[in-house]
Amino acid sequence: MKTYEQVLETVELALARGEYHYCIEFLLPLIESFPLSSKEGVNLRTILITALCGINKKEEAKRFCKELLKSYDNKTRENAKYLMEVIDSPEIKKPENWNVQFESDSSLNQKSLNSLRKKKAVLEKKKFINVTETPTGETKPFQKGFSLIIFLILLLLIPLLSGCVKVEDNLDLRELDSISNNLVIESKYIKKFPWQLKFEEKMKDIFPDAEIEQDESTFSLKHKNLNLEDTKQVLKISQNIAGELAGGSTNIEINTTQKNFIFFKKYFYRLDLDLKSIQSFDNFELIFKIIPPNKATLTGEKNSNSEITRNLIIWNLNLGQINSLEFSFWSWNKLLIGISIILIIIILAYSLRFYRFKLGTDLPQLPAK
């Protein structure tokens, strides 16, 4: 006796191919082996009803539908009612040229079904990757030629990467009467360029009193206790020397204005750095950082190359164009505040002395003549 899985696979294949006669002939002798009370019996009877409707044997299909209507399962009865309505629906006459007729032979159906089974079996056995359990042998190391090629590629990358130079200038404005400027040049990879060495030597000669730190990859030049005019001069000299070594002319302009509001002052700064004559130079990364005494605000046109976080402005410079930055910040008028505090203390001291004298003391007094 065939199992339910074998029967189901056979009739589903036949039904999918439209071999309704073979499906009925195969299923009718076996249908009683699967009782109506089981799920398997219901599924096979539903397939049989479908095949009978496919060859227009509606009376036999109704007979099996009536069996399903007697089932104890509500869902099975509902499905049987739906099938019964479909079977009892009136037929619509169609022109003969709408239908294509096929001659069905049970022997041919059997052969085609067997061929379909064979094809399915072949597809199930076929794998996308040919996996075998045969050992592949010992893992072999890379050949000498491969290692040599990798070494040459890395050797060629070193001079390319060594061209990345980061130039950062930090301008500290927290004490407007004692400004600090720190210029740092860093080679990101291995060694310095000849122009860096020349720049370092010239800066040492021009600013012998500045704080200088240097090693194999970095150079730092720091000035302290500068006023605004000295700061402008230091920045101009630095950018002029850098422009000469880069083969172009550069210019930096720093304009400042201020507004007094009794106890406060508002400072306005505008920086313009002309780098139009320097189109490309060793993959530069130019950064200008400014630290104002209080929270700053960017003014003027929006600059996508600058960002501000509280009292730190980071300005990324671009070669081949004029870079501009405008910002403002508030500051206390320390002189006026100091004078005001002194005046308030003097007035309070005088008032206390005056009222104390007016109230008098508890000491005994000499009798008046």
Side-chain angles (χ1 to χ4, degrees):
M1 180 180 175
K2 294 185 178 181
T3 62
Y4 169 73
E5 287 77 12
Q6 293 173 340
V7 175
L8 184 64
E9 181 182 5
T10 302
V11 294
E12 282 183 344
L13 284 172
L15 200 63
R17 291 178 59 85
E19 298 173 346
Y20 301 119
H21 287 284
Y22 175 76
C23 181
I24 296 167
E25 292 174 4
F26 180 81
L27 198 54
L28 277 176
L30 301 173
I31 196 69
E32 298 300 330
S33 302
F34 299 95
L36 183 62
S37 58
S38 64
K39 183 179 178 181
E40 291 82 359
V42 173
N43 290 341
L44 293 178
R45 282 169 174 78
T46 304
I47 293 173
L48 184 57
I49 292 169
T50 305
L52 290 169
C53 290
I55 60 174
N56 205 22
K57 292 185 176 182
K58 293 187 176 182
E59 293 302 324
E60 294 185 27
K62 284 183 181 181
R63 181 169 63 85
F64 287 103
C65 272
K66 290 176 181 178
E67 290 183 10
L68 294 177
L69 287 171
K70 298 176 183 178
S71 175
Y72 294 103
D73 185 30
N74 292 330
K75 188 176 180 180
T76 302
R77 290 198 301 272
E78 291 296 327
N79 291 336
K81 288 179 183 178
Y82 173 74
L83 288 173
M84 187 67 77
E85 290 177 1
V86 173
I87 294 169
D88 290 334
S89 61
E91 292 185 3
I92 300 174
K93 292 183 179 181
K94 302 176 186 177
E96 293 183 358
N97 58 357
W98 282 22
N99 298 324
V100 179
Q101 295 181 356
F102 296 94
E103 293 183 359
S104 179
D105 187 2
S106 59
S107 61
L108 291 175
N109 291 337
Q110 182 67 32
K111 288 180 181 179
S112 60
L113 192 59
N114 291 334
S115 63
L116 186 62
R117 290 176 185 169
K118 289 179 181 178
K119 287 181 181 178
K120 185 178 178 181
V122 170
L123 288 173
E124 288 178 352
K125 291 180 181 179
K126 188 176 180 179
K127 297 180 180 178
F128 292 99
I129 301 175
N130 186 15
V131 180
T132 62
E133 297 181 356
T134 306
T136 57
E138 183 181 356
T139 303
K140 296 181 180 180
F142 293 119
Q143 299 297 322
K144 293 181 179 179
F146 178 81
S147 303
L148 181 61
I149 292 171
I150 296 299
F151 176 75
L152 290 174
I153 292 172
L154 293 175
L155 194 62
L156 291 172
L157 284 174
I158 288 173
L160 293 175
L161 295 175
S162 63
C164 297
V165 179
K166 180 181 179 182
V167 179
E168 184 175 299
D169 196 302
N170 295 277
L171 186 63
D172 190 347
L173 301 175
R174 284 177 290 187
E175 295 291 337
L176 296 177
D177 297 328
S178 181
I179 300 172
S180 297
N181 184 69
N182 186 20
L183 176 65
V184 179
I185 303 176
E186 178 185 0
S187 294
K188 294 183 180 180
Y189 304 97
I190 301 178
K191 60 181 181 179
K192 297 179 181 179
F193 275 87
W195 69 264
Q196 291 178 258
L197 300 174
K198 291 180 182 179
F199 180 80
E200 292 175 10
E201 293 301 323
K202 287 191 175 184
M203 296 300 283
K204 288 178 186 177
D205 295 337
I206 297 172
F207 303 110
D209 298 330
E211 294 183 10
I212 297 175
E213 297 179 2
Q214 63 183 127
D215 54 28
E216 293 182 356
S217 60
T218 60
F219 173 77
S220 173
L221 180 71
K222 189 171 186 179
H223 294 85
K224 292 182 177 180
N225 303 321
L226 301 174
N227 56 33
L228 185 58
E229 292 302 321
D230 291 339
T231 303
K232 292 180 181 179
Q233 191 66 21
V234 168
L235 292 174
K236 278 184 174 291
I237 293 172
S238 301
Q239 61 89 24
N240 283 331
I241 294 174
E244 291 175 5
L245 293 174
S249 61
T250 61
N251 185 42
I252 185 170
E253 294 291 338
I254 302 176
N255 298 312
T256 61
T257 56
Q258 67 181 40
K259 291 183 179 179
N260 296 321
F261 297 92
I262 305 177
F263 295 107
F264 299 94
K265 288 183 179 181
K266 189 171 186 179
Y267 291 87
F268 299 87
Y269 279 72
R270 178 182 174 87
L271 285 76
D272 295 301
L273 184 56
D274 187 357
L275 300 175
K276 288 192 295 184
S277 61
I278 304 176
Q279 297 297 327
S280 61
F281 190 70
D282 291 334
N283 193 13
F284 249 21
E285 184 181 356
L286 301 174
I287 302 174
F288 205 106
K289 292 184 178 180
I290 303 170
I291 307 173
N294 298 304
K295 184 178 179 180
T297 304
L298 296 176
T299 57
E301 296 181 0
K302 290 186 178 180
N303 191 344
S304 59
N305 296 327
S306 59
E307 57 179 310
I308 184 169
T309 55
R310 195 169 177 79
N311 62 335
L312 175 63
I313 301 172
I314 301 175
W315 185 23
N316 295 291
L317 303 174
N318 294 326
L319 299 178
Q321 67 182 47
I322 297 177
N323 296 268
S324 299
L325 177 70
E326 291 184 61
F327 64 94
S328 63
F329 58 86
W330 291 88
S331 179
W332 294 92
N333 191 334
K334 295 180 181 179
L335 179 61
L336 186 58
I337 292 174
I339 293 172
S340 300
I341 292 173
I342 292 171
L343 288 175
I344 291 171
I345 292 173
I346 291 173
I347 292 171
L348 288 174
Y350 180 79
S351 299
L352 290 173
R353 181 176 177 277
F354 175 77
Y355 284 107
R356 181 66 177 170
F357 179 78
K358 188 175 181 180
L359 292 172
T361 63
D362 295 334
L363 296 174
Q365 298 180 1
L366 295 172
K369 292 183 179 178

